[in-house]
Amino acid sequence: MRYRTIARCTASLAVMSLWATVASAQDAPPVQDSADSEGDAIVVTGFRASLQSAQSTKQRSDKIVDSIVAEDIGKLPDIAVSDTAARIPGVQVERRGGEANRVLVRGLDRFNYTTTYNGREIFTAETRSVALQDFPAGGISAIDVFKTSSAELVEPGIAGLVNVRSRRPFDFADSEIAGSVWGVYPDKSRDLEPNAQLLLSDRWDVGEGEIGALINFSYTRMHYRDSVRRHGFFIADLAGARSPDWPEIQYAEAERWRPSINGALQWRPSPDLEIYVEGLWQGFRERATDRMWAQPLWGGASYENIVLDGNQIISGTVNRPTACCGGNQTWGFQGATKRDTNTYQFAVGGRWDVGPLRITADVARTDSTFDLRTESVDYEINTNDYSVDWFTGKPGGSGLTFQVRGIDPTNPGIYNYRGFYEDHLTASGDDWQARLDFQYEPTGISFIPALHWGVRFVDRDASARAGDFYWNLRDRGIPISAVPLDYVLQPRGFRGDKNAPFPVSWFGPTFASVHDNLIELRQFNIDLTGAGSVDGPPIDAGRTFDINEKSYAGYVSANYELALGETTIDGQIGLRAVRTETKTSGTLFTTAGPVPVNFKNAYTDWLPSANLRVQFSPEVQARFAFTQTRTRPSFAQLNPALRLSPATPCAPGQTDCIRTGSGGNPFLKPLDSDNYDASLEYYFSRTGFASIGVFRRDMQGFIANRAFEFPEPDPETGRTLVISGPVNTRNARIKGVEAQISGFFDFLPGALSGLGAQANVTYLDAKADFGFFCPTTANADCVAGPGAPNAATLRTRIPDVSKWTYNLVGLYERGGLSVRLAYNYRSSFPEADRAERDGFFTLQGRGNSVSRLDLSSSYAFTDNFTVFFDWTNILDNPFQSDIVRINYPGGIPSDPEIFPMVTRFEESVLSGGVRFRF
């Protein structure tokens, strides 16, 4: 580990040394003509113009912000916006399904940062944010990641704010017709899919003014197939030693497409007045055919060829697995899941300049719905008269694999029907948001160039309706030929895997036959069990809620500027106050049956911000910032559904009688953070800069499940309620360093002058207080004692956060040729929270380091016609993780027990097509 750290530092020093040469060779002054910190979308062509625009945004902002700008219409440097975000310092991503499906900003995911679209909040269904991959890259002008806040920004989360900028008609000098048509070919599914994007924009003179209109269409589609060989989430005694004992083969496969339309109208009757109307529709569709084969190793008639490393099994053979216990234990499922999202946002607003006063206003309506329809058909293998050769290996090796010998997976006669599971969810969210902002530039006060104030109102609704049902037909001896579905041998995966398991293909029903025969399938199960309904799963009141949240915000801020000789000090100081009022509706489950319940809550947040910039020269500046931010709890955590245990008798005269239960917590408060940032920036050319920054986040109120005293009494007995559920309890701290450098080697001769490079590195130390096996007494400290002998509170790493992340990007641009080769690395990280088991041990995943290489290239034959080719995940390295078990005798953690757990082969995607503009 020490050598890896030294290697990283050496590489960073080498890059810095190289750029020192670049900086000394380029003495062009930094760009001056640029957008402000929230600047309008800019039409740019070429890598240089893209870097220049992003660099200008960073340099001119009164906050710490990093941006990526499209170097041409429809040409962010990746297929998905979430993949593009991975190039930004301080951003980490997790990848599945051919894209970055989870984006973390300084160690925290989208539930802890705010997402905005053109400066206004946007979200999906009942959540508080939107997944960045749902934005069509073709319609995006830029992505801005705000690391610090200011009073006029929509309230960032504790991790910051990500703003996605679209284009508007006044971004173009004249009419514009631009688009792209391309094909996407993932090498695992080997299914070529069409993709397209088209932008139409124009502007016209109208009397003394001008009007513009823009509409953008986008359609992206991909068929992905991720192949996974893994152990189940457990470590057990096996064959006289220790090992996970139930490996699995899984396929995460789906057809996914995203249609999208965005448009804008702008009217500028005079230079001092502008009015706009904007609209966005984001669609998401996914048809998943995920499937699994779960192969037990335990309970075998005999074991042989066992290879040990100490007390841990490396490999072995089991004959007649589960012979000890009867029944059909080798099982799996075939999924047929539909996921559909529709998100709409419409806005009207404008600006009016009245002398030194600028007034801006924006009113927006957002409506979003997510529908989930999970249909999963289970099977079991009706014999155990076979053998399994398995290999687990050691952490850092090739990962688990196994070979089944003695059965033929292409024989449908070995499969029995095991059951049918359905899970349905409809989640919705909508809001009205309105803001009114004022900027005043006072005369005669040179050290205060601008004053800002404004108000904002949001009326937000969130709701969920969900239910599930399972028909369990295990060991009933039902052949799959009796089921009213079409069973086929499903397509194989693990292409290119030298250690592929066996089987890689088995029988399962087709997606179409499941959905075309749902009523028949339900009736088939009803006839066998006497339970269920042909109408699908009943609504579960415990997963159902309606929440209304109103927030009232106001802010004031002042820009300041002082000249001290050659040095200029400027910045902004401000205060934002936000009043939040919630009304939650759910269900209370008592011995008398479910009862509707309603709760109210209210709180006020005061969010100061102070940003300071010291300009030592036009090229060198330093920044310092202190801000306070907060993240509201999710609506699902506020679900007031409570399930109460039966009331126990209370002794005469006893005054401390309680009633216990479990559920949500409608009285949760936001997570708060005190944020400290500092950076040093050097702009050595129009397209070249270097910066280094340090930051720290002190966070309070992380949510964990604990026993707490409910603010309202039991409605049946009047007793105090002690509920096990989410509560604000944990503290955390994230501190880190970010460094980056970027530029072109214009000083090199001839064709070499087209070379350029970018590099950035992030180090994160992210830890929080976690409680394990805590007492069930309300509000008790989580320490070992009577009733909780193994309780412990430990400060450990925040899950899913890598300590190290870096990006190295090589660029070449000359004539019509543009090439970008990008390498991304993130170090190992703990996966998810530690799962408590049996009152004395925890299990947790540990993701291994991940590296990735992507290529983006294009050649412009003319100003109007370009061909391009992209290749993502060139290295095609599988993602791997381990399972870690820790015991807690007396609250003291033991040495960990570690085995390889997951090896996942993800898509490597080829895409190519043409871009045009007129």
Side-chain angles (χ1 to χ4, degrees):
M1 190 65 181
R2 178 179 299 174
Y3 297 115
R4 293 179 185 172
T5 302
I6 292 173
R8 294 190 191 104
C9 294
T10 303
S12 299
L13 288 173
V15 172
M16 296 296 182
S17 299
L18 174 62
W19 252 281
T21 305
V22 177
S24 62
Q26 302 184 54
D27 55 4
V31 64
Q32 301 295 319
D33 49 326
S34 63
D36 60 20
S37 59
E38 284 76 39
D40 296 331
I42 302 170
V43 180
V44 291
T45 57
F47 288 148
R48 282 178 172 83
S50 173
L51 295 178
Q52 178 178 316
S53 183
Q55 177 175 315
S56 176
T57 298
K58 181 178 183 67
Q59 184 179 10
R60 293 299 172 191
S61 175
D62 50 21
K63 297 169 281 293
I64 297 177
V65 57
D66 287 296
S67 303
I68 290 184
V69 179
E71 74 264 19
D72 207 344
I73 297 173
K75 193 57 184 75
L76 279 177
D78 293 278
I79 295 174
V81 172
S82 53
D83 283 305
T84 299
R87 319 292 176 200
I88 297 176
V91 174
Q92 299 176 357
V93 301
E94 296 178 10
R95 290 182 169 89
R96 296 189 187 200
E99 65 183 15
N101 72 331
R102 189 180 182 210
V103 179
L104 294 86
V105 176
R106 288 183 169 176
L108 300 172
D109 63 15
R110 69 184 181 95
F111 300 105
N112 293 289
Y113 57 80
T114 301
T115 52
T116 59
Y117 178 71
N118 292 332
R120 68 184 71 89
E121 272 189 292
I122 190 168
F123 50 83
T124 300
E126 87 293 9
T127 68
R128 294 191 180 275
S129 59
V130 67
L132 291 180
Q133 61 267 30
D134 285 345
F135 285 104
I140 300 306
S141 168
I143 306 169
D144 304 313
V145 177
F146 290 89
K147 313 292 185 60
T148 64
S149 66
S150 59
E152 76 277 5
L153 274 182
V154 173
E155 303 91 60
I158 60 177
L161 182 146
V162 178
N163 181 52
V164 176
R165 288 189 262 155
S166 70
R167 301 182 187 274
R168 288 175 173 174
F170 286 175
D171 296 338
F172 304 99
D174 206 339
S175 64
E176 191 79 25
I177 301 175
S180 306
V181 179
W182 69 99
V184 171
Y185 182 78
D187 78 333
K188 303 295 188 297
S189 70
R190 301 189 177 183
D191 190 357
L192 181 66
E193 297 281 12
N195 290 248
Q197 180 264 332
L198 177 65
L199 179 145
L200 306 173
S201 181
D202 206 350
R203 54 195 298 176
W204 308 270
D205 292 327
V206 181
E208 297 296 323
E210 193 175 14
I211 192 169
L214 177 149
I215 189 166
N216 184 82
F217 306 90
S218 177
Y219 179 83
T220 62
R221 190 179 186 106
M222 179 186 293
H223 177 188
Y224 65 86
R225 182 184 300 145
D226 290 349
S227 307
V228 183
R229 38 185 172 91
R230 61 163 297 162
H231 274 303
F233 200 54
F234 197 72
I235 300 172
D237 295 326
L238 182 69
R242 297 284 290 170
S243 175
D245 62 355
W246 210 325
E248 301 169 358
I249 304 168
Q250 294 184 2
Y251 290 115
E253 181 172 5
E255 185 87 11
R256 179 185 62 226
W257 64 100
R258 293 185 174 101
S260 177
I261 302 174
N262 67 282
L265 297 172
Q266 287 179 283
W267 177 40
R268 189 179 292 159
S270 71
D272 297 327
L273 179 63
E274 182 178 313
I275 298 171
Y276 62 81
V277 178
E278 287 187 324
L280 169 70
W281 168 59
Q282 285 183 339
F284 171 81
R285 307 288 184 268
E286 188 172 69
R287 302 296 180 259
T289 53
D290 49 323
R291 51 196 179 274
M292 181 186 76
W293 176 298
Q295 178 59 61
L297 305 177
W298 51 271
S302 63
Y303 293 85
E304 56 191 24
N305 305 320
I306 300 296
V307 176
L308 297 175
D309 179 28
N311 194 41
Q312 295 188 349
I313 298 178
I314 300 299
S315 62
T317 297
V318 57
N319 300 308
R320 298 188 64 225
T322 71
C324 68
C325 307
N328 299 317
Q329 307 290 348
T330 301
W331 74 286
F333 65 82
Q334 174 65 54
T337 298
K338 293 182 178 181
R339 298 181 180 93
D340 292 343
T341 298
N342 288 293
T343 299
Y344 304 88
Q345 186 173 84
F346 302 97
V348 58
R351 65 163 178 85
W352 183 29
D353 294 334
V354 187
L357 178 66
R358 167 169 287 191
I359 304 172
T360 59
D362 186 273
V363 178
R365 169 69 173 176
T366 308
D367 192 294
S368 181
T369 301
F370 170 66
D371 283 305
L372 169 71
R373 298 294 181 266
T374 297
E375 316 292 345
S376 185
V377 180
D378 292 353
Y379 70 88
E380 59 191 22
I381 302 302
N382 57 27
T383 178
N384 62 6
D385 191 15
Y386 59 88
S387 299
V388 181
D389 302 319
W390 87 91
F391 175 84
T392 296
K394 299 179 182 180
S398 59
L400 152 84
T401 191
F402 63 87
Q403 305 285 321
V404 177
R405 294 185 288 109
I407 58 173
D408 179 7
T410 67
N411 175 16
I414 68 170
Y415 301 88
N416 284 354
Y417 180 69
R418 193 175 195 263
F420 180 45
Y421 176 71
E422 294 189 278
D423 185 18
H424 291 184
L425 165 68
T426 298
S428 301
D430 62 75
D431 80 351
W432 283 100
Q433 51 183 301
R435 63 181 299 168
L436 183 63
D437 301 274
F438 301 85
Q439 177 181 315
Y440 179 71
E441 299 179 356
T443 57
I445 310 177
S446 60
F447 62 91
I448 302 181
L451 298 172
H452 307 263
W453 66 95
V455 293
R456 181 172 181 263
F457 169 71
V458 180
D459 187 353
R460 173 76 196 274
D461 290 307
S463 64
R465 301 288 183 273
D468 64 345
F469 194 84
Y470 182 56
W471 284 280
N472 186 347
L473 291 160
R474 176 180 170 183
D475 294 333
R476 295 280 292 269
I478 305 167
I480 59 172
S481 58
V483 184
L485 298 174
D486 297 330
Y487 280 80
V488 298
L489 199 62
Q490 296 292 334
R492 62 155 295 168
F494 297 99
R495 300 186 188 277
D497 181 7
K498 297 179 181 179
N499 299 291
F502 184 83
V504 293
S505 179
W506 54 88
F507 272 88
T510 66
F511 184 97
S513 72
V514 172
H515 285 277
D516 291 345
N517 299 283
L518 263 180
I519 293 179
E520 292 84 350
L521 180 58
R522 290 167 182 159
Q523 188 62 58
F524 175 77
N525 286 274
I526 293 170
D527 292 342
L528 290 169
T529 64
S533 168
V534 294
D535 297 324
I539 294 296
D540 179 358
R543 298 172 59 190
T544 297
F545 61 82
D546 292 282
I547 299 177
N548 175 260
E549 180 181 86
K550 292 182 173 64
S551 64
Y552 311 82
Y555 73 90
V556 293
S557 67
N559 288 36
Y560 59 88
E561 182 176 342
L562 299 171
L564 302 175
E566 298 295 323
T567 300
T568 300
I569 299 175
D570 62 8
Q572 187 184 73
I573 187 169
L575 176 66
R576 189 178 187 94
V578 187
R579 173 71 173 177
T580 303
E581 299 175 352
T582 60
K583 297 179 180 179
T584 60
S585 300
T587 303
L588 176 69
F589 294 89
T590 70
T591 53
V595 178
V597 290
N598 300 281
F599 299 101
K600 294 182 179 180
N601 193 25
Y603 51 86
T604 301
D605 296 302
W606 299 89
L607 306 173
S609 60
N611 292 274
L612 181 145
R613 179 176 61 167
V614 181
Q615 295 177 280
F616 300 104
S617 70
E619 295 84 16
V620 180
Q621 62 186 31
R623 298 180 185 274
F624 305 90
F626 168 75
T627 60
Q628 288 185 337
T629 53
R630 61 98 174 95
T631 293
R632 293 187 179 103
S634 71
F635 290 111
Q637 291 170 325
L638 295 174
N639 180 3
L642 300 175
R643 298 182 184 273
L644 302 185
S645 304
T648 57
C650 188
Q654 186 177 351
T655 59
D656 59 350
C657 285
I658 63 170
R659 189 174 185 182
T660 60
S662 61
N665 186 353
F667 301 100
L668 285 171
K669 295 292 195 296
L671 294 69
D672 300 315
S673 181
D674 297 331
N675 312 311
Y676 310 87
D677 292 81
S679 68
L680 181 64
E681 303 163 5
Y682 173 39
Y683 297 88
F684 50 81
S685 76
R686 287 180 176 270
T687 57
F689 78 97
S691 70
I692 185 169
V694 296
F695 63 90
R696 180 171 134 178
R697 302 283 183 267
D698 291 332
M699 295 167 284
Q700 308 85 33
F702 264 84
I703 296 171
N705 283 334
R706 293 276 188 86
F708 67 96
E709 186 175 315
F710 202 72
E712 297 193 11
D714 175 23
E716 284 188 315
T717 66
R719 299 178 187 175
T720 298
L721 279 177
V722 175
I723 299 298
S724 294
V727 62
N728 298 103
T729 179
R730 299 190 305 207
N731 295 329
R733 174 175 294 173
I734 298 177
K735 53 186 178 181
V737 180
E738 298 171 347
Q740 60 181 314
I741 193 165
S742 174
F744 273 86
F745 305 116
D746 296 321
F747 60 92
L748 293 176
L752 295 178
S753 64
L755 290 170
Q758 297 174 288
N760 63 65
V761 60
T762 302
Y763 173 78
L764 291 174
D765 181 11
K767 294 181 178 178
D769 295 330
F770 292 87
F772 305 104
F773 314 108
C774 299
T776 57
T777 306
N779 307 320
D781 292 334
C782 191
V783 295
N790 300 314
T793 298
L794 305 174
R795 172 150 287 209
T796 61
R797 289 178 61 183
I798 294 176
D800 306 314
V801 181
S802 295
K803 287 187 175 182
W804 289 95
T805 306
Y806 63 79
N807 293 279
L808 301 173
V809 182
L811 305 171
Y812 185 81
E813 184 175 64
R814 187 173 174 84
L817 179 64
S818 296
V819 180
R820 182 183 65 90
L821 189 64
Y823 177 80
N824 172 264
Y825 170 88
R826 66 175 297 194
S827 62
S828 62
F829 54 93
E831 289 186 297
D833 286 340
R834 299 185 188 185
E836 299 179 15
R837 295 288 189 270
D838 297 337
F840 73 95
F841 72 92
T842 61
L843 295 172
Q844 185 178 40
R846 183 183 66 182
N848 296 341
S849 60
V850 181
S851 59
R852 181 182 176 95
L853 186 67
D854 299 326
L855 171 70
S856 176
S857 62
S858 65
Y859 187 80
F861 288 93
T862 68
D863 291 340
N864 306 111
F865 183 79
T866 300
V867 296
F868 63 90
F869 171 76
D870 298 334
W871 185 5
T872 69
N873 194 19
I874 297 172
L875 301 178
D876 205 15
N877 293 328
F879 169 82
Q880 292 187 309
S881 68
D882 305 321
I883 181 172
V884 181
R885 171 174 167 154
I886 298 176
N887 297 334
Y888 297 81
I892 306 299
S894 66
D895 292 335
E897 188 178 20
I898 306 173
F899 285 89
M901 183 172 65
V902 172
T903 299
R904 182 174 67 242
F905 292 84
E906 301 166 353
E907 289 289 5
S908 178
V909 182
L910 303 173
S911 59
V914 297
R915 287 198 300 273
F916 57 88
R917 64 183 305 176
F918 303 99

